[in-house]
Amino acid sequence: MELNVFTMFLEAGLTIKGVILLLLVMSLYSWFIVFQKEVLYRKVRQASEEFKEQFWKSKNLAEAHKIAKQAELAPEAMVFRSAYQELQKLNKAQGGELRLENRLAGMEPLKRAASKSLAGEISRLGRSLPFLASTGSASPFIGLFGTVWGIMTSFHEIGVRGSASLAVVAPGVSEALVVTAAGLAVAIPAVVFYNYYTNKLVEIEGDSQAFATDFINLIERDFLTRPRTAETQE
């Protein structure tokens, strides 16, 4: 007999149909996440490269801030905007006349703002990836549940008919095994792409962290080498 999965699905019981439909929904949503992340990460990578190139060419922080407002997808731009806002608050609060120890203490809120912004951006970019991990781990067990249920149904049919011939057992067993195959077919791509995009996210985080470190060092050097008017007056 020719193996027809669609016909087997139509002839299956409600439990098997429910399991297959659940796997189908998980598979469709997993592939949606895959294509969404592919498009998003490409745009993020491009936006990050453009922002960093323009940032290091900017003449001052005010000009860089205008550039950052236009780079909505670049994590580095979000980190810069958060740190820049904190720097503006610090300058307004202190009036530019600080002792050295006060300047050092003033860098801590700026560093925390940059770290918090970076964490938020990475969390945003990593959204939906846990679903791929859950699909990869749960789908084989869901398929296995369908297989066990199908085999139980086959043995029940044997008991009802009082016959253990291959013609009685084979359809139910093959139907049950198809569910396991479906579970694996859903799980394998989900695991592969989860690992792939997790690595991509780690790369994005590393590049953003490197930019944040360079930017903080730049601000720190400028901030600490300003004329210390308060100390001079004393």
Side-chain angles (χ1 to χ4, degrees):
M1 294 179 61
E2 182 181 354
L3 180 63
N4 191 323
V5 177
F6 183 71
T7 301
M8 294 175 64
F9 172 76
L10 293 178
E11 295 177 354
L14 290 177
T15 302
I16 299 298
K17 287 181 179 178
V19 170
I20 293 177
L21 288 176
L22 176 60
L23 291 172
L24 179 61
V25 171
M26 294 174 69
S27 177
L28 291 176
Y29 189 60
S30 295
W31 282 107
F32 170 76
I33 293 173
V34 167
F35 290 117
Q36 181 192 48
K37 293 303 179 186
E38 181 66 24
V39 173
L40 176 62
Y41 286 0
R42 284 187 180 184
K43 289 182 178 180
V44 167
R45 177 66 66 181
Q46 182 179 0
S48 296
E49 293 299 327
E50 291 177 356
F51 169 73
K52 287 188 288 187
E53 181 179 357
Q54 294 177 6
F55 173 82
W56 294 116
K57 290 181 179 179
S58 59
K59 298 178 181 179
N60 50 55
L61 294 180
E63 181 180 341
H65 187 249
K66 293 180 180 179
I67 297 172
K69 286 183 177 180
Q70 301 174 356
E72 294 293 337
L73 289 179
E76 293 87 351
M78 301 299 107
V79 170
F80 169 78
R81 287 170 60 179
S82 298
Y84 181 80
Q85 291 174 1
E86 195 65 35
L87 183 62
Q88 292 293 94
K89 293 178 183 178
L90 184 62
N91 285 334
K92 289 180 181 179
Q94 303 295 345
E97 297 185 356
L98 298 173
R99 297 175 63 90
L100 178 59
E101 57 269 23
N102 293 334
R103 295 184 184 207
L104 290 171
M107 291 302 300
E108 291 305 316
L110 193 147
K111 293 178 181 179
R112 287 196 298 269
S115 298
K116 183 178 179 180
S117 177
L118 177 59
E121 286 300 300
I122 296 304
S123 177
R124 178 182 66 85
L125 294 175
R127 198 173 299 155
S128 299
L129 285 182
F131 183 83
L132 292 181
S134 299
T135 298
S137 60
S139 293
F141 293 102
I142 295 174
L144 182 61
F145 168 77
T147 297
V148 172
W149 188 272
I151 292 176
M152 288 170 57
T153 303
S154 297
F155 280 113
H156 179 72
E157 287 293 324
I158 292 173
V160 171
R161 298 188 183 185
S163 173
S165 64
L166 187 62
V168 174
V169 177
V173 173
S174 61
E175 173 188 297
L177 293 176
V178 164
V179 184
T180 297
L184 293 174
V186 174
I188 292 173
V191 172
V192 170
F193 283 108
Y194 172 76
N195 292 330
Y196 175 75
Y197 287 119
T198 298
N199 290 333
K200 286 285 186 182
L201 188 60
V202 169
E203 292 178 5
I204 293 174
E205 183 177 9
D207 292 342
S208 301
Q209 185 64 57
F211 170 81
T213 301
D214 292 340
F215 171 65
I216 294 297
N217 289 338
L218 178 66
I219 295 300
E220 199 166 25
R221 285 196 300 269
D222 177 70
F223 199 53
L224 297 179
T225 55
R226 291 179 186 177
R228 288 171 290 206
T229 308
E231 290 183 339
T232 303
Q233 291 177 348
E234 291 179 358

